[in-house]
């Protein structure tokens, strides 16, 4: 199955592989992934010479016994919204990033300082506007479990690359589900951390009050490691309380397809020492329209120069932001009052439970519509099914992890979302680790082993 | 809920909402898609909550 950071560290220590050999396998795998029909298009840019140079330095450190951290020499991929020295930051557009960045985003610098090989800039939905992997400028990212289906978005390339084994850790951003949705659809783990706990310096923000940078990883342990490095704080998973009280809002769960809900339920029932607690979130259905409203208004404001100069955005992206520009100020205030209601309701719910659980998405990875690949997707119902469980975390700022919890009849992964009170990111990860221990893991249809 | 737009309709609608002369159309679509779902909340009955513009919590370094 997918290789973890510990697998790479062990291989480098015992001489089974060197960072340079891994880098060559990575570069070959990226070439192969884009030579497929259809191409996976997980990356917007990979600078092979830079990857080799970083890997050579890591190889020398390992030979000298001076590895900087468990990540030394391990490939890590970065969503093309973060500045990475030497690469342009396109945000998935054809107009931004005319010059390469001169310095790394703060959290990219932290990974580089730890010895990680910054292996490439990953694909995303243009400006992170929607939860699919469609990008009309750089090609559409494909799901390694079934390349005819969506990766989810907007961190499509990071999720797809981690899923396909091209890196154990990827960086993403999440304004309405953009880490958790693609992680769930591609069968990997993801964490939208507590709002503000991971610094955003060097990130091209398109939605100030909702956007959260965070990691995706092939395992919860690698998610924990990444979280620790990105926050610059040692992170140890806490002991779970006994019994572990899982908050379930039954009305919210009805938004999931029956098969998805059943798979998530089955995973919860396998958790030892856990019991479900019924909770009420009276305005949870409003999280979707309130989140969408704030997301589009802030996004339209952030991207106004592009709109005013008639930049060549995909029609679906343009339409979304034009609608954001037309929202009345009173409606924007109303959406932010809904945020207050949700904060109160979750605060109340956490008095009776340790975490709140939901399916991460209402559906498994849907197939791409052929006509959406040229202009983008404008399917409100499908988008709602993908983000109906995720916006609440962005509005409230509470941490939310996703972990694979099973597979549907056609073998597509289902994610379980775990929400914890603000600042309790490690509690969410500890529950995710417990889920990971009791569910099976299946390899995707397309993946690479960089250690063989 | 708005039905899925085909590529041809998506291009057409996008062209229309960009036109300055059709600003009322843009506002109408925004009202249907983004504003209507929030219209029915009786905030007064819910204690008249103030808006929260940014999630609470300390910032990381």
């Amino acid at each position: 199955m997918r290789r973890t950071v510990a697998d790479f560290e062990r291989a480098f220590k015992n001489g089974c592989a060197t960072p340079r050999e891994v880098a060559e396998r990575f570069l070959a795998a990226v070439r192969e992934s884009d030579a497929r029909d259809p191409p996976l298009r997980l990356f917007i840019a990979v600078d092979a010479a830079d990857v080799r140079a970083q890997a050579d330095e890591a190889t020398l450190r390992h030979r000298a016994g001076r590895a900087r951290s468990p990540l030394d020499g391990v490939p890590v991929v970065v969503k093309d919204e973060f500045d990475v020295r030497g690469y342009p930051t396109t945000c998935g557009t054809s107009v931004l990033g005319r010059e390469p960045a001169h310095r790394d985003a703060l959290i990219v610098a932290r990974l580089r300082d730890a010895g990680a090989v910054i292996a490439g800039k990953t694909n995303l939905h243009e400006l992170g506007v929607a939860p699919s992997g469609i990008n009309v400028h750089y090609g559409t990212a494909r799901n390694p479990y079934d390349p005819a289906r969506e990766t989810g978005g907007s961190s499509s390339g990071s999720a797809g690359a981690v899923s396909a084994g091209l890196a154990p850790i990827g960086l993403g951003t999440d304004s309405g589900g953009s880490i958790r949705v693609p992680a769930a659809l591609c069968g990997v783990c993801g964490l939208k951390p507590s709002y503000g706990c991971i610094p955003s310096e060097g990130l091209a923000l398109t939605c100030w009050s909702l956007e959260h940078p965070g990691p995706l990883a092939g395992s919860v342990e690698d998610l924990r490691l990444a979280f620790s490095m990105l926050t610059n704080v040692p992170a140890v998973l806490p002991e779970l309380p006994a019994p572990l009280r899982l908050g379930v809002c039954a009305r919210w769960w009805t938004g999931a397809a029956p098969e998805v809900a059943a798979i998530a339920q089955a995973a919860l029932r396998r958790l030892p020492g856990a019991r479900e607690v019924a909770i009420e979130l009276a305005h949870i259905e409003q999280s979707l329209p309130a989140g969408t409203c704030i997301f589009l208004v802030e996004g339209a404001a952030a991207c106004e120069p592009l709109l005013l100069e008639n930049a060549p955005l995909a029609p679906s992206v343009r339409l979304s932001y034009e609608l954001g520009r037309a929202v009345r100020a009173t409606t924007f205030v109303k959406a932010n009052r809904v945020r207050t209601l949700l904060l109160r309701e979750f605060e109340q719910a956490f008095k009776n439970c340790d975490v709140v659980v939901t399916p991460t998405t209402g559906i498994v990875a849907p197939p791409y519509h052929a006509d959406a690949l040229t202009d983008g997707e404008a399917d409100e119902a499908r988008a709602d099914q993908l983000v109906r469980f995720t916006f609440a975390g962005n509005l409230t700022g509470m941490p939310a992890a996703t972990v694979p919890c099973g597979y549907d009849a056609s073998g597509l992964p289902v994610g379980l979302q775990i929400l914890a009170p603000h600042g309790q990111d490690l509690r969410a990860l500890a529950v995710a680790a417990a889920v990971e221990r009791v569910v099976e893991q299946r390899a995707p249809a397309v993946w690479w082993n960089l250690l063989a | 809920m708005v039905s899925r737009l085909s590529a041809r309709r998506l291009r057409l609608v996008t062209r229309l909402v960009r036109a300055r002369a059709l600003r009322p159309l843009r506002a109408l679509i925004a009202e249907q898609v983004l504003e209507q779902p929030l219209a029915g909340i009786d905030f007064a009955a819910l204690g008249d909550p103030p808006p929260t513009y940014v999630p609470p919590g300390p910032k990381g370094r």
Side-chain angles (χ1 to χ4, degrees):
Chain A
M1 208 20 208
R2 295 184 193 96
R3 298 303 180 185
T4 64
V5 171
D7 293 329
F8 284 98
E9 186 184 21
R10 204 175 305 117
F12 296 156
K13 267 190 182 149
N14 65 22
C16 291
T18 66
R20 174 62 188 249
E21 288 165 355
V22 165
E24 292 298 340
R25 289 179 195 137
F26 168 83
L27 293 168
V30 172
R31 283 194 301 271
E32 282 173 32
S33 73
D34 280 338
R36 294 176 56 85
D37 183 20
L40 294 189
R41 294 304 299 145
L42 302 174
F43 290 88
I44 285 180
V46 174
D47 181 339
D50 179 58
V51 172
R52 289 187 176 109
Q54 292 177 70
D56 283 344
E57 289 175 18
T59 301
L60 290 175
R61 288 194 295 273
H62 276 282
R63 280 199 189 128
R66 293 200 315 268
R68 292 175 179 168
S69 80
L71 267 185
D72 203 334
V74 178
V76 169
V77 296
V78 178
K79 185 180 187 179
D80 197 10
E81 280 189 332
F82 294 92
D83 285 345
V84 173
R85 196 177 62 216
Y87 287 88
T89 306
T90 70
C91 298
T93 69
S94 62
V95 291
L96 296 177
R98 296 196 192 281
E99 299 290 330
H102 296 299
R103 55 191 291 192
D104 289 330
L106 179 54
I107 61 173
V108 173
R110 284 179 178 168
L111 294 173
R112 200 190 289 278
D113 288 347
V117 173
I118 308 302
K121 303 293 292 289
T122 52
N123 205 347
L124 66 151
H125 197 106
E126 185 175 15
L127 293 165
V129 172
S132 82
I134 294 171
N135 187 304
V136 305
H137 308 295
Y138 298 98
T140 289
R142 301 287 177 160
N143 193 317
Y145 280 86
D146 179 351
R149 291 176 182 267
E150 293 188 9
T151 50
S154 63
S155 307
S156 51
S158 287
V162 171
S163 177
L166 297 173
I169 292 173
L171 290 187
T173 60
D174 190 317
S175 297
S178 286
I179 288 174
R180 292 160 287 163
V181 170
L185 268 45
C186 291
V188 300
C189 309
L191 174 68
K192 182 208 75 65
S194 296
Y195 181 78
C197 87
I198 291 182
S200 55
E201 284 91 334
L203 163 65
L205 285 168
T206 54
C207 192
W208 300 277
S209 79
L210 297 175
E211 191 148 6
H212 300 60
L216 301 92
S219 69
V220 177
E221 170 54 20
D222 285 352
L223 212 51
R224 182 205 62 78
L225 178 68
F227 179 70
S228 175
M229 293 198 165
L230 299 179
T231 54
N232 218 11
V233 174
V236 178
L237 296 189
E239 289 282 320
L240 289 176
L244 172 66
R245 298 169 303 163
L246 305 167
V248 174
C249 177
R251 200 159 36 77
W252 200 8
W253 277 64
T254 58
E259 188 180 10
V260 168
I263 290 166
Q265 276 285 352
L268 293 178
R269 293 198 175 123
R270 286 201 289 275
L271 270 182
R275 69 178 170 88
E276 291 181 22
V277 176
I279 58 166
E280 175 57 9
L281 300 165
H283 291 88
I284 195 63
E285 279 92 352
Q286 303 299 329
S287 64
L288 182 56
T292 304
C293 175
I294 295 168
F295 176 78
L296 291 182
V297 171
E298 288 194 13
C303 299
E304 193 167 50
L306 295 179
L307 300 175
L308 294 178
E309 70 190 33
N310 282 325
L313 306 175
S316 60
V317 174
R318 180 89 202 194
L319 176 59
S320 297
Y321 281 151
E322 290 292 350
L323 296 184
R325 291 174 83 194
V327 170
R328 285 176 294 196
T330 48
T331 303
F332 182 71
V333 173
K334 201 179 282 183
N336 282 292
R337 297 180 84 186
V338 170
R339 196 198 298 253
T340 307
L341 292 176
L342 292 169
L343 280 163
R344 288 178 184 172
E345 289 167 11
F346 273 99
E347 187 181 357
Q348 190 63 32
F350 282 124
K351 288 179 180 167
N352 300 312
C353 64
D354 300 302
V355 291
V356 174
V357 288
T358 72
T360 306
T361 57
I363 51 174
V364 295
Y368 284 115
H369 291 122
D371 68 344
L373 302 181
T374 51
D375 297 275
E377 186 60 275
D379 188 341
E380 191 190 3
R382 180 184 282 192
D384 286 358
Q385 286 172 313
L386 290 174
V387 299
R388 68 172 58 253
F389 296 108
T390 48
F391 255 124
N394 301 83
L395 287 163
T396 58
M398 61 191 165
T402 180
V403 61
C405 66
Y407 302 84
D408 78 350
S410 53
L412 296 168
V414 172
L416 181 78
Q417 178 177 233
I418 300 139
L419 298 145
H422 198 285
Q424 299 295 325
D425 302 66
L426 294 173
R427 185 193 298 177
L429 289 185
V431 176
V435 174
E436 190 180 50
R437 282 193 289 274
V438 297
V439 299
E440 63 162 339
Q441 303 279 331
R442 292 187 202 164
V446 184
W447 73 289
W448 286 266
N449 178 0
L450 300 186
L451 289 175
Chain B
M1 186 72 69
V2 178
S3 303
R4 177 177 187 267
L5 298 178
S6 65
R8 194 171 60 81
R9 284 191 176 161
L10 172 60
R11 279 195 296 271
L12 176 64
V13 172
T14 304
R15 240 192 338 266
L16 292 176
V17 300
R18 286 172 68 179
R20 186 176 287 271
L22 294 175
R23 286 271 164 87
L25 172 68
R26 186 176 74 172
L28 183 68
I29 298 174
E31 185 183 336
Q32 290 295 314
V33 177
L34 295 172
E35 302 191 335
Q36 204 66 41
L38 295 169
I41 305 173
D42 183 356
F43 287 104
L46 296 165
D48 222 7
T52 302
Y53 291 109
V54 176
K59 284 269 185 190
R61 287 169 295 154

